[in-house]
Amino acid sequence: MRWIYGLLVLLSLSAACVRSSGPQPPDIAYGKEICVECGMIINDPRFAAAYVTRGGQARLFDDIGDMVVYHRKHSEEVAAFYVHDYETRAWIDAAQAFFVQSPNIPSPMGYGLVAFSDRSRAEAFAREHGGEMKDWARVLQETQPPHGSHSHGP
């Protein structure tokens, strides 16, 4: 019976190691790092976003919309997309986030996109700011540069 317990402990530890070996959100030095899409300094974690390529390269952005536009232009193989929870500023896997988009949200590049880890908080924020709820698939599909032909970046 002891060997079963030992085996379970070993399997649990192995599973924990496997989970932590995947891509992780990058660290951002706010006020120092540059957005790869627009070239502006990343100052506000509420709007900052990032992705990690399958090759382990991190791409940092000052606005969720910039991340989407950059990815469309470069179509790199992405291991994970990350956004910050607007309220807690904790990193969230974008595929698990609840997004709100509104022209009343002053995001750095004007996309008006924010993310939440909790659906009810996102819904309340959308009501308060006249926003629309979206999932990550819709954000990827529908996000366009502000003002139709807005172009920026190096």
Side-chain angles (χ1 to χ4, degrees):
M1 189 67 170
R2 285 182 149 214
W3 68 271
I4 291 175
Y5 177 74
L7 182 61
L8 289 174
V9 169
L10 184 60
L11 288 173
S12 296
L13 291 173
S14 297
C17 290
V18 169
R19 275 195 301 268
S20 66
S21 66
Q24 299 295 314
D27 291 326
I28 297 177
Y30 296 100
K32 295 180 181 177
E33 303 273 9
I34 302 294
C35 173
V36 297
E37 172 59 19
C38 70
M40 294 183 65
I41 293 173
I42 304 169
N43 283 315
D44 194 337
R46 297 175 304 166
F47 302 104
Y51 70 71
V52 178
T53 67
R54 293 211 185 272
Q57 296 289 317
R59 306 283 185 247
L60 309 178
F61 305 91
D62 66 341
D63 193 299
I64 297 167
D66 269 1
M67 177 169 67
V68 173
V69 169
Y70 184 90
H71 176 61
R72 273 195 206 126
K73 288 186 204 175
H74 299 276
S75 58
E76 297 177 292
E77 289 190 38
V78 175
F81 290 93
Y82 298 103
V83 293
H84 281 103
D85 182 290
Y86 183 76
E87 293 175 337
T88 68
R89 299 182 178 150
W91 281 115
I92 317 166
D93 181 327
Q96 305 302 315
F98 302 94
F99 294 88
V100 176
Q101 187 165 28
S102 170
N104 300 320
I105 298 170
S107 68
M109 297 310 298
Y111 290 91
L113 271 167
V114 293
F116 294 84
S117 59
D118 180 80
R119 176 186 289 277
S120 63
R121 288 189 0 253
E123 289 170 343
F125 188 89
R127 281 191 303 275
E128 293 167 13
H129 293 86
E132 180 182 5
M133 292 277 299
K134 295 185 177 188
D135 63 12
W136 180 234
R138 280 190 63 202
V139 169
L140 282 173
Q141 181 180 7
E142 298 175 1
T143 300
Q144 297 297 321
H147 315 300
S149 63
H150 182 75
S151 177
H152 55 273

